[in-house]
Amino acid sequence: MASGKTWNRRFALVGGAALVSLLLVAIPAQAQSVLNRGGGAEPESLDPAFAGSTVETNILGDLMVGLTALDAGARPIPGLAERWETSPDGLTWTFHLRAARWSDGTQVTANDFLFAWRRLLDPKTASRFAQNLWVVKNAQAITAGTLPPAALDVTASGPLTLKVTLEHPAPYLPELLTLPAALPLPRKPAFKPGGYVSNGPYLLKAWSPNDHIILTKNPRFYDAAAVKIDTVNYFPTADTQAALRRLRAGELDMQTPLPAAQVPWLKANMPGALHIMPSLALAYLAINLRDPALADIRVRRALNLVYDREAVAQKVMKLGEMPAYAYVPPNVEVGPQLYFKHMPYAARVVLARRLMQDAGYGPFNKLTLSYATTGNPDSKRLAAVFQAMARQIYVDVRITVSDYPLLLRALRQGQYQLAYTTWLADFSDASNFLDLLRAGSPGNYAGYNNPKFDAAMVAAEREPNAAKRAVLLQGAERIALTDLPWLPIRFLSQSEAVGPRVGGYVQNPRDFNRSRWLWVK
């Protein structure tokens, strides 16, 4: 392990197989500019219909461009659409596409968007990200199977003009259209190296599962002349401690996330590399309401009361994050809070014990609950901390650790009791958090179903007045905070380390830094 402020540029001997893979992807550095990025979990898929994690969004953001794109600060800018107009009622958007090519040389057309969006929404595809396009007229009915994909109210009037009609006004549409779900596809899409046709700054050259992904510069990208880095290597780095060692050894140029326990050392020894910023994200425990014990609101209230959010934020994580007593972060919208926010912790524990006793539990009749999490060091630490907290109220927490894809599968299938997870907003709007709790939402892991909440969300999305819409969204959140399908923990900060070779990095709350805007010194 390197110490002090000195960066060790030599490759560490990390074992036979790993060393070979590192050398293989490092070879282009002799003649080309190479960026090595650590991105956390191994991606599940690079099919835009099934990609939604941060690492998948980062990689797809290098491979593909939609109607809009993200600039260096993660703000929406024109992408394949050079310009667009919006009708006075905000319901019709007309996009005018630039002359652009797929990597196989064929033209990108408006029909490529129509094909991709119909595919995404088709219930046969079963994409959990179809909800991201439900703002388009008839999209939700298509996903529900009550209308055919051809009923989507999107028209390709010529090869370079796309007219989109919405269900309700959506001023955030340019931001939403940067998501993987809104990307176009060629008519015969393939999602593996050798057949992957892209339209963005980079091409998919290689993918060695659980080892690395190699992207190379796309000469047919419409802005290829401005792309400075020839090769981008993405490494799965679920072990953040090991990733930090690789960063210090010069094997990685960028790494996110970072182990919270090492942040004080980074602040003292590598302050120029460390970037911590408030994010549009929530860390929470999903509570499976299908479970008989957790269906009892008294148990859910007790678990929320005993969770010491201040201790976690200030003593465990130490990232300056804000304890969460709501579901929507304050940098998106300030709304209702959990009623016990200002109650002393000791009083919370007393009340939580009383609730558990009312529910039939006590010292000689404890409630056993499973707590699912990943092998991320910080996630395991938080599980152990909660385990100790829960003992105070007669709850025996059994921790289960699995890889992220397995945890995600358990959440989707409802095969869990408590599960630690996070949500990074797709766009800066309260609805992007609260929509996860609507009945039928693919992100509704809790199985929450309250018609009053759903009605409030529908009223909010139909309200054109921004101030009135905000009030309706706050009303919906107040309903959810009463029912407690989630246990909110903290509003996240993004932490990233960026090595001294990297130029063009812009800190932003979404922590998206497209490789097309970066360079290596």
Side-chain angles (χ1 to χ4, degrees):
M1 222 176 181
S3 61
K5 297 183 180 180
T6 302
W7 286 71
N8 182 357
R9 294 293 180 190
R10 294 170 298 174
F11 282 104
L13 296 177
V14 293
L19 179 60
V20 169
S21 67
L22 283 172
L23 291 175
L24 283 173
V25 293
I27 286 173
Q30 299 172 3
Q32 296 181 319
S33 56
V34 178
L35 178 69
N36 294 313
R37 304 185 64 157
E42 168 76 8
E44 275 194 284
S45 175
L46 293 181
D47 178 343
F50 298 99
S53 70
T54 301
V55 64
E56 291 163 346
T57 301
N58 275 323
I59 296 170
L60 274 169
D62 283 353
L63 290 170
M64 302 281 277
V65 175
L67 291 169
T68 56
L70 295 178
D71 70 5
R75 296 172 294 262
I77 59 172
L80 290 178
E82 290 184 303
R83 58 186 174 85
W84 53 86
E85 301 99 35
T86 310
S87 62
D89 61 4
L91 294 179
T92 303
W93 295 58
T94 303
F95 296 91
H96 304 278
L97 277 60
R98 69 177 76 242
R101 297 279 171 184
W102 291 103
S103 55
D104 64 2
T106 58
Q107 184 182 27
V108 180
T109 70
N111 275 315
D112 296 329
F113 286 93
L114 192 56
F115 165 73
W117 293 6
R118 286 175 175 175
R119 172 181 179 267
L120 174 91
L121 296 166
D122 192 329
K124 295 178 182 177
T125 303
S127 169
R128 64 191 181 97
F129 301 107
Q131 183 177 355
N132 286 327
L133 290 187
W134 283 359
V135 66
V136 180
K137 190 172 183 180
N138 295 335
Q140 187 170 1
I142 292 169
T143 303
T146 58
L147 285 177
L152 186 67
D153 203 340
V154 177
T155 305
S157 52
L160 299 179
T161 304
L162 189 73
K163 189 173 83 169
V164 180
T165 303
L166 306 183
E167 290 280 2
H168 54 81
Y172 51 80
L173 188 66
E175 193 174 358
L176 186 146
L177 292 176
T178 67
L179 299 179
L183 291 171
L185 286 175
R187 281 310 177 99
K188 294 182 179 179
F191 305 106
K192 297 294 183 182
Y196 200 110
V197 177
S198 58
N199 65 12
Y202 291 93
L203 308 171
L204 180 62
K205 181 179 180 181
W207 183 355
S208 179
N210 297 305
D211 192 78
H212 66 268
I213 288 175
I214 304 177
L215 310 183
T216 57
K217 187 174 176 180
N218 178 11
R220 288 196 168 102
F221 176 52
Y222 63 81
D223 195 28
V227 178
K228 301 177 179 67
I229 295 174
D230 298 302
T231 300
V232 181
N233 300 315
Y234 279 92
F235 296 92
T237 52
D239 186 340
T240 54
Q241 296 277 9
L244 183 56
R245 289 194 292 270
R246 291 177 66 179
L247 181 87
R248 294 172 59 190
E251 298 165 14
L252 292 176
D253 296 305
M254 303 174 68
Q255 166 61 26
T256 185
L258 299 173
Q262 295 300 315
V263 168
W265 186 94
L266 286 162
K267 287 181 177 178
N269 296 278
M270 295 165 54
L274 179 63
H275 297 270
I276 298 178
M277 68 225 81
S279 181
L280 305 175
L282 170 72
Y284 67 98
L285 283 184
I287 302 175
N288 192 344
L289 303 187
R290 309 168 194 86
D291 183 273
L294 295 171
D296 190 329
I297 186 62
R298 294 169 295 186
V299 173
R300 300 201 300 278
R301 286 175 182 162
L303 293 173
N304 269 272
L305 282 160
V306 82
Y307 202 105
D308 192 342
R309 295 157 176 82
E310 283 75 16
V312 165
Q314 298 164 15
K315 298 178 181 179
V316 179
M317 299 305 293
K318 300 179 183 179
L319 294 172
E321 295 173 326
M322 185 180 296
Y325 290 90
Y327 293 158
V328 179
N331 56 349
V332 175
E333 185 173 275
V334 178
Q337 306 283 305
L338 288 171
Y339 71 94
F340 56 81
K341 178 178 180 179
H342 300 295
M343 184 184 295
Y345 183 68
R348 295 184 203 177
V349 175
V350 170
L351 179 55
R353 284 178 183 155
R354 189 180 307 140
L355 286 165
M356 290 299 292
Q357 289 168 344
D358 289 346
Y361 303 100
F364 305 106
N365 182 32
K366 295 184 178 181
L367 172 62
T368 299
L369 293 175
S370 64
Y371 178 116
T373 188
T374 67
N376 178 288
D378 290 335
S379 299
K380 291 194 292 185
R381 287 170 66 211
L382 290 175
V385 168
F386 178 66
Q387 188 179 53
M389 294 172 184
R391 289 194 192 105
Q392 302 175 88
I393 59 168
Y394 324 120
V395 177
D396 184 9
V397 173
R398 306 290 174 86
I399 300 169
T400 61
V401 177
S402 61
D403 292 336
Y404 175 73
L406 293 177
L407 175 61
L408 193 57
R409 189 174 303 127
L411 283 165
R412 293 173 188 164
Q413 296 174 352
Q415 301 298 316
Y416 74 97
Q417 288 182 300
L418 303 173
Y420 177 79
T421 188
T422 60
W423 176 253
L424 175 62
D426 295 315
F427 50 91
S428 182
D429 192 86
S431 66
N432 197 237
F433 290 86
L434 300 176
D435 274 340
L436 296 175
L437 290 171
R438 295 174 75 162
S441 166
N444 188 355
Y445 304 137
Y448 180 55
N449 187 349
N450 185 330
K452 291 183 179 179
F453 173 84
D454 291 344
M457 292 299 296
V458 169
E461 71 184 12
R462 292 177 177 173
E463 176 55 61
N465 181 278
K468 292 180 180 179
R469 178 177 178 272
V471 170
L472 290 168
L473 287 171
Q474 290 168 11
E477 185 176 11
R478 191 172 291 108
I479 294 169
L481 288 172
T482 301
D483 293 339
L484 296 173
W486 291 346
L487 189 161
I489 299 172
R490 66 195 200 280
F491 295 119
L492 298 178
S493 291
Q494 293 288 349
S495 62
E496 185 159 16
V498 181
R501 292 196 324 126
V502 180
Y505 176 86
V506 178
Q507 183 172 296
N508 65 79
R510 298 185 68 189
D511 197 26
F512 286 148
N513 293 93
R514 300 293 184 243
S515 300
R516 67 181 282 197
W517 307 116
L518 303 176
W519 64 88
V520 289
K521 301 171 186 176

